[in-house]
Amino acid sequence: DVSQVARVFGRRKGAIKYCYEKSLKTKPDVAGKVGIQLTLGSVGRVTAISNTSNTTGSAPLASCITSKIKAWRFPPPESGSVTFSVGYAFSVSE
């Protein structure tokens, strides 16, 4: 169910914010988008994850996001396993 997966991402947005704030400490002007593709296995664990795009110029930011999401638990997919993509956009506040 898409809404259940969205709830997990919503509850965990602080982890993504942490990754961005960590990147800002070493690169204060980091901005852009990071795309992630992940596969959930039958028990709701991430079985595969990869960065599909990264326009931020910060490999550590994309790596941090990937490692955070990989540890999350999701509701088990009804169809056994499912693959989907998610994207994050980052901009520097003035």
Side-chain angles (χ1 to χ4, degrees):
D1 184 356
V2 174
S3 65
Q4 290 179 330
V5 171
R7 275 196 291 266
V8 173
F9 278 95
R11 284 194 315 261
R12 303 290 189 141
K13 64 185 174 189
I16 305 305
K17 183 177 179 183
Y18 165 82
C19 290
Y20 183 58
E21 289 175 350
K22 184 177 172 184
S23 290
L24 286 172
K25 290 178 182 175
T26 57
K27 189 176 178 189
D29 61 344
V30 68
K33 296 179 182 178
V34 175
I36 307 287
Q37 182 179 55
L38 60 144
T39 300
L40 298 181
S42 61
V43 295
R45 301 289 265 160
V46 176
T47 58
I49 189 165
S50 63
N51 292 28
T52 56
S53 63
N54 181 2
T55 64
T56 67
S58 174
L61 172 58
S63 178
C64 180
I65 292 170
T66 301
S67 68
K68 294 290 184 190
I69 294 173
K70 186 172 176 65
W72 297 352
R73 288 190 174 213
F74 294 85
E78 294 174 11
S79 62
S81 71
V82 64
T83 299
F84 60 94
S85 297
V86 64
Y88 292 97
F90 302 97
S91 61
V92 179
S93 301
E94 303 255 344

